[in-house]
Amino acid sequence: FFFFEILRMQGPSSGSMSRSVATMAVASLIMSAAVPSTAFAPSSGFIGARLTRSGPMIRSAASSGRGRAALSMVATPPKEDEVLPPSAWMAPGQKVGPQAPGQPWPDKEYNNLAVPKNKPEYAKKDSAHLRYPLEQEMADGSTIDISHDAVIVLKHHGSYMQQNRDLQRSDKAGYAASYQFMLRLKVPCGKLPASVYQTIDDISDKWGQGDLRATTRQAWQIHGVKKANLKSVIAAIAHAGGSTLGGCGDINRNIMTPPAPLADPAYQYAFQTSNYIADLFAPSSPAFAELWMDGQKAATVEYWKKDMVEGSTSTSVIPPVASSIEELNKQVSSTLLHDSGLGIITGDAEEPIYGRQYLPRKFKIAVTVPGDNSVDLFIHDVGLVVIMSDDGKTLKGYDVFVGGGMGRTHNKESTFAKVSSPLGYVAKEDLPELLKAILAAQRDHGNREVRANARMKYLVHSLGIDNFRKLVESYYGKKVEALVPLPAWRMVDWMGWHEQGDGKLFLGVVVAQGRIKDTDGLRIKSALRTIVDKYGLDTRLTADQNVVLCGVDPKDKADIDALLLSHGVKPIEEVDMMSRKSIACPAFPLCGLAQAEAERRMPDFNARVNALLTKMGMPGESFVMRMTGCPNGCARPYMAELAFVGQGPDLYQVWMGGSSQLDGRTGWHFKDKMKQADLETELEPMLYMWKTQRTSQAERFGDFLQRVGKDALTDFIAKYSAGTAFNNVSVETLYTGPVVAAPAGGAGKMRLTSGPRKQQVRVTDELHGMLKQKADGSSVPMADLVEELILKGLQ
């Protein structure tokens, strides 16, 4: 499905070229803002360009039986306990979907045929494939907001409507006038070419609130866009080679991969796979082009398509998917429309996979390589692990994990965080059909009655992994093979300088809670823009909300270091590990779900925990700490060693016991409604217990908590006398165990430390012989073996 002969196509990547593309994109949106647009003007008929994967197709909506101004398509609130017949939920010609499952499952706990649906299901059903009522409401220039149903539709186009909640009590009029929109880009692999970065940076200054935000799913967000500018902004992003389609909504979301742009076959296959899936599961409806670009094609092909033909950031060491964009489009279209007759293809003419209702809830995928857990693998609906052949150069297939997810609701035990379960192994040529089968199983059998239970994790939980595998196999048409054994996972953050393996370097830059803005003493927004402009560098985001600058010429390293330092950006050696490991969601002031502060609170919590650890004689110690403003879990708190989940103004639910490597377990709920002012009081006894009762410094905080358990921790705290931790303090030396890993090749394990190996250690011939025999017997490089033995000895 992917892999053909290598076709090396060198494309211009200079800063001047990327600046020209960004300039054209912004110029186009300036013109569109200056000239009144008729794109949203209602009419009884229109000619729209449907942008198919094989080329444009012209159709007349007046003859389609639907019509452009079909206001009857706007969703109406469902009656209490209303159950519509299956035909009401199916598009013309649709045969398969939630109301007529391609592969029924008789023992499921609920049945989409016989229950009333939640309100968003009605809005999606009546949206005419993501058009209405958004189209009519965007045409209304007299309003600054849109309706609930239009918001549901708009999410699929990549935007949320928000208000400034800081004004909610102090300035009622200001709050009422504060309606604005957040744009979230679709950024497969977390990558942005220089030209797209320049475009969104310009947009943030002209029509946003002057900043950018890196999300925990490796995507970019632009906040503060007004309704009147929404079309211009979305069009500009698309014309620059980016997109917001699929940034939000009940469809496949942004696909995550490790952020390291390595010239390594396994990593590059992870990038290529992610790009392919992103294209495969993009909504097929032409609504996005119709609403935001007047039905026209984007001026620039999406960059992830180019990457599948030309290769990714580093020098390509794997074959391309196709030799041209045209060939790629045909291949993806053929793969999408392939119908095995087992109920994957719905029969819906506009959305052959999603159908009229799309999915019950968001659908998240990540792809990584063995050992590299920089993507938090176990929290996704689908997690893929690249499996290489023994030569380390040839892709063999993928291990597949399913049913992870973070979202839950306070005081509602039917909702919970869950790590994914192993589904099995799939050969590379069968991956698209297996993914289609998984998506179809969730589409048809996911809960559409109770939206809080609509994620695929609840389907996997209710059926059990064995029965879920059988359900997927009934769509797939064959058995899923057994999982290939994998090495241990490590949480890799890829910060600091690293070699790409092709003569170039990349640099990971820590961004506090992902907020790219200029403040007194820290002008990170200006710094990144200056570097991108000067060197034409691609950027990649990490799952920890940080930025990676890719493809740096070694001769430019010192200049980039100096430029960052002059803008107040600390080198990685000066960033404390608590801050480096922490993430937080935006929460206040713009998130409508926030119950407490998160992004604005996290720096304070980091500083206070650092101070407490130092006072207790544990300077520089650290663990994975996360914070969210509500229980939906956007910052993945339930995987952390210690987490704070908003539960009211300045109140937090405390979770603890996750893994330092995020390797397959959630933490546990420890306490409700902790006051933010009580942070030190609450943490003092548990940190002291960790210091005095851990097996060694190598035992991480989360592992310690899991070992001793909640009951023992509670008992220790009950007997603890405040201040004990500060009596006769013994200061520990800083733990120097593995924190950041680097690759040892696609088919091998992960290195335990990062950076080049420059130093030598001399040993006797006898010891060298013993090391060589051990290394040969373990099929690992001798340098990796020596590194592992030294670290074990030091610990």
Side-chain angles (χ1 to χ4, degrees):
F1 110 82
F2 278 134
F3 310 105
F4 294 76
E5 290 184 341
I6 296 179
L7 180 67
R8 302 283 295 278
M9 299 180 65
Q10 300 296 336
S13 59
S14 68
S16 60
M17 175 62 74
S18 62
R19 281 195 299 273
S20 65
V21 174
T23 300
M24 287 189 293
V26 175
S28 70
L29 66 90
I30 292 173
M31 292 176 63
S32 65
V35 179
S37 172
T38 59
F40 294 113
S43 61
S44 59
F46 73 106
I47 300 295
R50 178 173 183 177
L51 305 181
T52 67
R53 286 184 166 86
S54 58
M57 178 179 72
I58 306 298
R59 65 176 177 83
S60 169
S63 62
S64 69
R66 181 167 58 235
R68 181 118 173 148
L71 293 176
S72 62
M73 298 300 294
V74 176
T76 54
K79 297 177 181 178
E80 189 73 22
D81 298 327
E82 180 180 22
V83 179
L84 299 177
S87 59
W89 297 91
M90 307 284 271
Q94 184 175 341
K95 299 179 178 62
V96 170
Q99 310 308 311
Q103 293 291 335
W105 188 263
D107 298 326
K108 207 162 77 63
E109 295 179 357
Y110 44 81
N111 188 328
N112 283 318
L113 294 172
V115 296
K117 312 302 183 293
N118 60 64
K119 290 183 178 180
E121 291 300 313
Y122 288 82
K124 289 183 291 182
K125 172 181 73 71
D126 292 338
S127 72
H129 297 103
L130 307 181
R131 293 176 176 86
Y132 307 105
L134 180 62
E135 188 168 26
Q136 287 78 13
E137 295 189 24
M138 286 301 300
D140 184 357
S142 66
T143 63
I144 60 173
D145 63 341
I146 58 177
S147 68
H148 172 268
D149 288 345
V151 166
I152 292 170
V153 176
L154 179 62
K155 288 179 181 179
H156 298 75
H157 294 264
S159 181
Y160 284 79
M161 185 170 70
Q162 300 178 324
Q163 285 181 277
N164 187 345
R165 295 176 65 190
D166 280 350
L167 307 176
Q168 195 165 4
R169 294 183 179 180
S170 61
D171 183 357
K172 298 291 186 181
Y175 178 68
S178 70
Y179 281 104
Q180 55 191 278
F181 294 82
M182 177 272 286
L183 270 297
R184 183 183 296 151
L185 273 69
K186 174 182 179 179
V187 191
C189 307
K191 176 184 173 181
L192 270 192
S195 59
V196 185
Y197 183 88
Q198 290 161 339
T199 298
I200 66 170
D201 188 65
D202 288 343
I203 288 170
S204 71
D205 290 334
K206 186 171 183 61
W207 283 296
Q209 62 180 25
D211 60 15
L212 295 168
R213 195 173 195 281
T215 78
T216 57
R217 286 201 65 80
Q218 296 179 283
W220 287 103
Q221 289 183 177
I222 305 172
H223 291 265
V225 177
K226 297 299 184 180
K227 179 187 173 186
N229 298 322
L230 196 58
K231 179 182 177 182
S232 298
V233 171
I234 293 176
I237 293 170
H239 285 307
S243 181
T244 61
L245 180 63
C248 323
D250 296 341
I251 50 181
N252 181 50
R253 296 287 191 91
N254 198 49
I255 302 181
M256 298 173 66
T257 60
L262 299 170
D264 176 276
Y267 279 86
Q268 291 194 358
Y269 277 125
F271 306 151
Q272 190 180 81
T273 302
S274 297
N275 288 332
Y276 195 96
I277 298 169
D279 211 36
L280 182 70
F281 288 152
S284 298
S285 167
F288 184 83
E290 290 173 2
L291 267 62
W292 310 112
M293 297 187 293
D294 299 328
Q296 302 302 308
K297 279 187 174 181
T300 306
V301 174
E302 293 100 331
Y303 66 84
W304 55 89
K305 286 179 179 284
K306 292 182 180 179
D307 281 358
M308 287 187 276
V309 174
E310 302 173 6
S312 193
T313 302
S314 56
T315 300
S316 183
V317 295
I318 63 173
V321 176
S323 61
S324 67
I325 297 296
E326 292 73 22
E327 181 186 331
L328 173 68
N329 288 339
K330 290 179 181 179
Q331 185 186 144
V332 173
S333 180
S334 175
T335 302
L336 175 73
L337 297 174
H338 171 70
D339 189 356
S340 61
L342 294 174
I344 293 176
I345 303 300
T346 64
D348 186 328
E350 291 204 15
E351 293 288 7
I353 288 287
Y354 289 120
R356 185 177 181 181
Q357 288 177 260
Y358 295 86
L359 298 179
R361 202 69 170 83
K362 65 185 79 172
F363 195 78
K364 298 180 176 180
I365 300 175
V367 187
T368 190
V369 304
D372 187 337
N373 200 18
S374 56
V375 298
D376 229 342
L377 179 70
F378 297 96
I379 62 94
H380 307 273
D381 293 274
V382 179
L384 301 176
V385 184
V386 169
I387 303 297
M388 303 295 289
S389 298
D390 292 339
D391 62 7
K393 299 178 181 179
T394 308
L395 177 64
K396 184 178 179 181
Y398 306 83
D399 273 353
V400 184
F401 296 81
V402 295
M406 290 287 96
R408 48 177 289 278
T409 304
H410 286 317
N411 303 316
K412 193 171 184 179
E413 296 302 316
S414 61
T415 65
F416 46 83
K418 179 184 177 300
V419 295
S420 58
S421 304
L423 185 72
Y425 167 82
V426 60
K428 63 181 181 183
E429 60 271 14
D430 291 330
L431 178 66
E433 200 65 16
L434 178 61
L435 289 177
K436 287 165 58 181
I438 295 170
L439 188 146
Q442 164 66 355
R443 177 197 68 204
D444 294 351
H445 298 273
N447 191 332
R448 293 179 185 263
E449 179 184 13
V450 181
R451 191 163 173 82
N453 295 122
R455 286 290 297 277
M456 195 174 80
K457 66 179 177 180
Y458 296 108
L459 180 61
V460 175
H461 175 77
S462 63
L463 294 181
I465 187 59
D466 292 335
N467 281 334
F468 180 79
R469 186 182 297 110
K470 291 178 183 178
L471 177 61
V472 169
E473 289 170 344
S474 68
Y475 285 91
Y476 180 44
K478 60 175 75 174
K479 293 289 185 181
V480 177
E481 299 179 41
L483 207 70
V484 173
L486 295 168
W489 293 103
R490 293 196 179 279
M491 188 187 82
V492 193
D493 71 1
W494 294 109
M495 292 294 95
W497 285 102
H498 299 267
E499 297 177 357
Q500 289 185 177
D502 59 355
K504 298 291 184 68
L505 307 173
F506 67 93
L507 172 63
V509 180
V510 174
V511 180
Q513 284 68 62
R515 186 67 65 177
I516 309 291
K517 66 178 181 179
D518 287 347
T519 59
D520 291 341
L522 177 59
R523 295 180 295 123
I524 191 168
K525 189 171 188 287
S526 295
L528 292 176
R529 179 58 185 267
T530 300
I531 292 171
V532 170
D533 283 349
K534 185 173 182 179
Y535 300 105
L537 303 181
D538 293 345
T539 61
R540 289 178 184 260
L541 296 180
T542 78
D544 294 332
Q545 304 172 292
N546 299 318
V547 176
V548 174
L549 299 170
C550 308
V552 178
D553 192 309
K555 67 179 177 59
D556 298 324
K557 177 178 181 293
D559 185 47
I560 290 175
D561 278 338
L563 196 155
L564 288 168
L565 191 60
S566 69
H567 284 75
V569 181
K570 294 180 180 179
I572 190 62
E573 296 81 10
E574 297 181 16
V575 179
D576 70 90
M577 290 304 302
M578 286 301 304
S579 298
R580 183 171 168 179
K581 293 179 179 181
S582 71
I583 58 176
C585 71
F588 286 100
L590 295 179
C591 179
L593 301 175
Q595 300 177 29
E597 294 281 2
E599 177 186 336
R600 298 192 295 195
R601 178 75 67 198
M602 196 71 198
D604 175 60
F605 269 39
N606 283 332
R608 291 164 65 184
V609 171
N610 275 326
L612 179 60
L613 287 167
T614 300
K615 186 177 180 181
M616 294 176 61
M618 305 169 75
E621 186 58 273
S622 65
F623 39 84
V624 178
M625 187 167 75
R626 295 173 173 176
M627 180 180 289
T628 57
C630 81
N632 282 346
C634 293
R636 308 188 296 276
Y638 312 114
M639 299 296 289
E641 295 177 89
L642 178 65
F644 303 95
V645 179
Q647 206 173 13
D650 285 334
L651 298 175
Y652 296 91
Q653 192 176 71
V654 181
W655 285 69
M656 57 182 60
S659 165
S660 64
Q661 307 302 328
L662 310 174
D663 58 354
R665 71 167 185 254
T666 62
W668 26 267
H669 169 219
F670 180 71
K671 184 181 181 65
D672 282 315
K673 297 186 176 180
M674 183 200 84
K675 296 178 180 179
Q676 69 87 15
D678 293 340
L679 176 68
E680 290 85 354
T681 302
E682 296 289 348
L683 293 189
E684 178 190 325
M686 62 182 72
L687 291 177
Y688 184 69
M689 184 182 184
W690 177 40
K691 179 184 179 181
T692 57
Q693 296 188 18
R694 56 184 172 178
T695 56
S696 71
Q697 279 188 268
E699 186 174 29
R700 299 291 78 208
F701 187 45
D703 297 333
F704 169 78
L705 292 170
Q706 280 288 333
R707 178 173 63 82
V708 301
K710 183 176 180 178
D711 291 341
L713 177 64
T714 302
D715 183 62
F716 182 89
I717 293 173
K719 298 175 181 177
Y720 177 80
S721 297
T724 302
F726 313 128
N727 297 329
N728 302 315
V729 175
S730 61
V731 179
E732 297 181 340
T733 57
L734 181 63
Y735 172 67
T736 56
V739 174
V740 180
K749 297 195 302 181
M750 300 298 295
R751 272 182 53 191
L752 301 179
T753 62
S754 63
R757 288 166 171 157
K758 298 178 180 179
Q759 309 303 322
Q760 295 183 3
V761 178
R762 297 184 181 278
V763 298
T764 63
D765 290 342
E766 180 184 8
L767 182 55
H768 180 271
M770 294 168 63
L771 289 169
K772 186 176 187 306
Q773 182 179 6
K774 178 70 173 177
D776 291 344
S778 305
S779 298
V780 298
M782 188 185 299
D784 288 357
L785 175 63
V786 172
E787 185 175 77
E788 181 178 357
L789 292 173
I790 291 174
L791 282 172
K792 286 182 178 179
L794 291 173
Q795 295 168 13

